Amino acid sequence: MEVIHNLGILSIKNNTEENVGFLLTNKKGSYCSFFDTPSSRYQGLFYFDEKTMDMYKFIENIEINGDNNVARLKNNFYYVERRKNDAIESFIMPRGFNSLVYELSSENEIDLILDCKISYDNREWGRYYDIFEEDGCIIIKFTKKTDRREDSSDGVEEFVLHLAIKSDKNVYNKSDKWIERHYSYDKERNSPPFRRHVYNALRLKGTKFVFSMSKNKSNAIKECGYIFNNIDKIKIDEKKYFFDDIIKNESIKIIINNKKINNEIKIAYINAFNSLNNLIVDTKNNYGIFAGLPWFFQFWTRDTLISLKALSKINDKLAKKILFKYLNKINNDGRLKNLSGKHKSVDLGSTDAQGWLFFRCKEIINKIDEYKEIINEIKKSISIIKQNKNSNSARIRDYLKNCNSIMRKKENEYHKLIYEIESSLEKSLSGLLKFHTKDNFEFNDKLETWMDTEFENDDRSGARIEVQALRLNIYKSMFELTRNHKYKVLENLLKNKVREKFWNYKFLADGLNDFTIRPNIFIVAYVYPELLTQKEWETCFDNALKSLWLDWGGLSTIDKNHLLFTEESTGENVKSYHRGDSWFWINNLIALTLNRINKQKFKKNIQKIIEASTEEILWKGCIGCHAELSSAKNLESKGCFNQAWSNAMFIEMVEGMLGYSWTLY
């Protein structure tokens, strides 16, 4: 298959033998993701209920009658085109609407395959479809009922969904048959069931189709009619939004105009930017950023805060809104909840989220300090102007008065922000010292770090290195905020103890009394580089890379010589998840950190990480999206198709290396 990233003179293309696909969202939680061959239960068209935060699947696949092999996939960023023989398919999900616009270059018959269900629900029985016409639309009503073959009750209605369909020909036949799907991607990642019966509902004819989803039939019909009657306007609006809000974004303009960065990295950066933006949910009922699609459609606190710096490049107002929301959600024990939404990990503790909150607050404080310096410079200029004998005119006096008024307003705003941050952080630190501190160290229960899986008693309970670094940054930030020396004392005490217990002058231990080599030491260098000297960091990185480096351009999540190291991803079987699998977010963070410590010494490692992440975004898995992870053995696109912190850290990595000359071979 030929893959094209279409962006004018920056356009690039390549061929791939892999089963690749795409993912589009409506910026309010719903998404569509179609691959060359349906290979996962999580591919198709999905509807996000922003009130309940449930995700519902509607369409399993749309298939042209005849050959369905994709010869070309063109990523146009705000819409996608696929070529099948002589037919060109076009997919677009308009912002703010729970609809998919599907168009063909010539009249064809298509089969509409449905699999209506709650995303995680794999029950086969109790699925009822009813097809009829109403108000110029084809309506498919789906009813889910309990069934005694799988449930404790029988015939109890659980929910109803409605799909409204409108086309230019309005010609269709009911297929009304069940077919069995075999999901190769799910089998590969040990995510049963690997087979499932789906419903071939209709054969439709035409060139232009709109599919609108809702729990309410009237809403689905109304939206479907509106979208169908305004397709051309909607396309113009989507194009304008992409080019005005994305391509003209200041961060993207800086990357595009940098002549030392090649086109592959520029296009990968724009894709990461766009894909992170696609994970934003910002509606009347909900706001935040999904940790990833297709299955992390919740607001994970840690993932959000790690991604927040990159998110601020896209939507600074939303990023601040999210940050201050978390400042107001600190529990009495000083911690934040793990996530918002329904997920099996909702009650899991989070030992590092509040540390990332402090870290991102520190970045805001640094910005405020910069703004204050600018205000002080302006004040100096005003003072000089006032001393000038020609400054007594009414026009100049009014101008200076307005300047002073604006500056006072800004200073009051900054003072309020700093006060709110300081108060919330003091509350957090008070709780942490009382409930989660022992012998100066911060301790956590099992599964409470970002490595939140357990295999053969490997669960990272205890005092973990990156958690201590985040605590050190908390003390440092609080001292800088308050100038209270008790925080400086706490910082020095913990710093000395960490150096004593974790640093063996070769590398940093992963935990207290645990010298397993893991990439978490690079998080330490990212959040609290003061722990070691530059030379010590170079030694630490040298030794860690020997144990963790993967030749394709990533790092294993555990020493390659460790008994638990697993070189091929085991998917939902967590054996490899944090014991071998290479995570793109931390790979990108590592490249950024290596660059900060010694970009010449670690040039080859930095280069290989950039190449690998760029290749994954452009040519593997879900095209244009940065996936969750790869197997250790080879560069692959594994796990979640589009992961927030992978995209975010790619953005940070590229921006952090401006001026560094890269070439992809």
Side-chain angles (χ1 to χ4, degrees), residues 496-512:
N496 290 335
K497 291 204 73 169
V498 170
R499 285 183 60 88
E500 176 190 350
K501 298 293 186 179
F502 286 75
W503 175 235
N504 65 2
Y505 296 93
K506 293 180 181 179
F507 56 87
L508 284 166
D510 187 59
L512 194 61

Side-chain angles (χ1 to χ4, degrees), residues 190-376:
N190 294 303
S191 175
F194 314 134
R195 298 185 180 191
R196 180 173 173 81
H197 284 89
V198 295
Y199 183 61
N200 187 337
L202 297 170
R203 176 160 287 183
L204 300 154
K205 189 175 184 179
T207 61
K208 191 178 297 185
F209 307 86
V210 173
F211 304 96
S212 297
M213 307 170 285
S214 181
K215 288 182 174 179
N216 181 282
K217 182 180 66 175
S218 297
N219 290 347
I221 292 171
K222 183 179 178 181
E223 181 168 303
C224 189
Y226 175 82
I227 297 288
F228 189 84
N229 293 329
N230 292 277
I231 286 178
D232 291 338
K233 178 183 180 301
I234 285 167
K235 287 181 185 176
I236 292 169
D237 289 344
E238 293 300 307
K239 181 177 181 179
K240 186 176 186 302
Y241 168 79
F242 175 72
F243 283 97
D244 286 356
D245 286 48
I246 304 297
I247 295 302
K248 290 183 181 178
N249 182 286
E250 197 59 38
S251 297
I252 285 184
K253 286 197 292 186
I254 290 169
I255 298 300
I256 288 176
N257 293 327
N258 192 308
K259 294 180 180 179
K260 291 185 177 181
I261 303 176
N262 65 31
N263 281 3
E264 284 84 355
I265 295 170
K266 288 178 180 179
I267 289 289
Y269 177 92
I270 295 167
N271 271 304
F273 203 93
N274 192 49
S275 293
L276 183 61
N277 184 44
N278 282 339
L279 293 172
I280 290 172
V281 175
D282 190 10
T283 68
K284 183 171 65 176
N285 297 307
N286 250 323
Y287 65 92
I289 183 162
F290 284 163
L293 286 173
W295 47 78
F296 294 136
F297 46 85
Q298 303 85 19
F299 303 140
W300 289 68
T301 307
R302 176 190 300 115
D303 300 53
T304 296
L305 292 167
I306 288 173
S307 304
L308 208 60
K309 184 175 181 179
L311 180 63
S312 70
K313 309 282 184 180
I314 300 168
N315 189 332
D316 186 54
K317 185 178 179 181
L318 177 63
K320 286 178 181 174
K321 187 177 174 183
I322 291 171
L323 185 138
F324 282 95
K325 176 181 75 172
Y326 282 122
L327 283 173
N328 292 317
K329 286 183 175 289
I330 295 169
N331 296 325
N332 290 332
D333 70 344
R335 287 186 171 185
L336 290 161
K337 284 189 176 180
N338 196 31
L339 62 92
S340 302
K342 297 177 182 178
H343 193 273
K344 60 185 178 182
S345 299
V346 69
D347 295 322
L348 210 61
S350 177
T351 190
D352 52 359
Q354 66 282 345
W356 284 104
L357 177 65
F358 271 78
F359 188 72
R360 294 309 179 201
C361 283
K362 180 66 167 59
E363 291 171 340
I364 283 189
I365 292 165
N366 290 341
K367 281 185 181 179
I368 289 174
D369 288 341
E370 290 174 10
Y371 297 150
K372 284 181 176 179
E373 288 180 13
I374 293 170
I375 286 174
N376 288 334

Side-chain angles (χ1 to χ4, degrees), residues 386-611:
K386 284 181 176 179
Q387 293 171 16
N388 191 312
K389 62 181 180 180
N390 296 319
S391 65
N392 289 323
S393 70
R395 184 172 61 84
I396 293 177
R397 285 199 304 273
D398 287 343
Y399 172 76
L400 296 178
K401 183 179 179 181
N402 288 334
C403 284
N404 281 318
S405 176
I406 292 169
M407 286 189 294
R408 277 196 301 272
K409 186 178 179 181
K410 279 294 178 186
E411 285 177 322
N412 289 335
E413 180 186 331
Y414 296 150
H415 179 76
K416 185 180 178 182
L417 289 174
I418 293 291
Y419 177 77
E420 189 172 346
I421 290 171
E422 183 181 329
S423 300
S424 297
L425 298 187
E426 280 187 328
K427 175 188 175 182
S428 176
L429 189 50
S430 175
L432 292 173
L433 287 168
K434 183 177 181 180
F435 296 103
H436 299 289
T437 306
K438 181 181 178 182
D439 297 329
N440 297 113
F441 294 117
E442 180 167 343
F443 284 79
N444 57 269
D445 290 334
K446 64 180 184 178
L447 314 185
E448 289 188 339
T449 71
W450 81 270
M451 290 184 166
D452 57 357
T453 60
E454 180 179 8
F455 185 79
E456 294 190 2
N457 298 318
D458 177 46
D459 57 25
R460 296 197 82 227
S461 58
R464 291 292 150 182
I465 185 61
E466 79 278 12
V467 178
Q468 312 315 309
L470 287 163
R471 176 68 74 88
L472 282 164
N473 179 70
I474 290 174
Y475 292 145
K476 178 174 178 282
S477 301
M478 287 303 292
F479 173 70
E480 291 175 358
L481 260 177
T482 65
R483 290 297 159 184
N484 187 329
H485 281 272
K486 74 175 182 181
Y487 298 118
K488 178 55 72 175
V489 171
L490 288 168
E491 180 188 356
N492 289 335
L493 280 171
L494 180 56
K495 182 178 179 181
N496 290 335
K497 291 204 73 169
V498 170
R499 285 183 60 88
E500 176 190 350
K501 298 293 186 179
F502 286 75
W503 175 235
N504 65 2
Y505 296 93
K506 293 180 181 179
F507 56 87
L508 284 166
D510 187 59
L512 194 61
N513 303 317
D514 178 8
F515 275 85
T516 304
I517 300 178
R518 279 189 145 128
N520 300 303
I521 59 174
F522 294 93
I523 300 176
V524 179
Y526 178 81
V527 300
Y528 190 76
E530 298 87 348
L531 182 64
L532 302 180
T533 67
Q534 180 173 328
K535 286 297 180 185
E536 287 173 333
W537 277 124
E538 289 179 21
T539 300
C540 181
F541 290 168
D542 275 334
N543 290 308
L545 289 169
K546 288 174 187 175
S547 297
L548 300 172
W549 182 253
L550 306 170
D551 289 339
W552 54 260
L555 277 82
S556 169
T557 34
I558 201 168
D559 187 339
K560 292 179 292 182
N561 294 314
H562 197 281
L563 288 174
L564 295 180
F565 171 71
T566 306
E567 69 173 4
E568 293 194 16
S569 181
T570 55
E572 283 192 4
N573 177 336
V574 299
K575 181 182 178 183
S576 72
Y577 204 48
H578 297 114
R579 285 154 286 274
D581 286 351
S582 184
W583 291 61
F584 291 112
W585 85 269
I586 201 163
N587 289 345
N588 297 334
L589 178 149
I590 288 165
L592 182 59
T593 305
L594 291 173
N595 185 68
R596 288 174 180 173
I597 296 301
N598 191 330
K599 64 183 179 182
Q600 291 304 319
K601 179 180 177 67
F602 299 111
K603 181 177 180 180
K604 289 183 180 178
N605 303 99
I606 297 166
Q607 179 99 7
K608 288 292 288 185
I609 291 173
I610 295 167
E611 290 177 8

Side-chain angles (χ1 to χ4, degrees), residues 36-79:
D36 182 8
T37 303
S39 54
S40 172
R41 307 184 308 279
Y42 297 99
Q43 294 164 5
L45 178 65
F46 290 75
Y47 163 78
F48 181 66
D49 186 334
E50 58 186 275
K51 293 181 180 178
T52 65
M53 293 192 74
D54 285 315
M55 188 74 79
Y56 295 89
K57 185 174 183 178
F58 273 73
I59 296 176
E60 202 263 353
N61 202 24
I62 301 169
E63 300 176 0
I64 298 175
N65 186 25
D67 187 359
N68 267 279
N69 289 325
V70 179
R72 185 182 72 199
L73 189 156
K74 183 187 284 188
N75 171 26
N76 297 299
F77 296 86
Y78 64 97
Y79 76 104

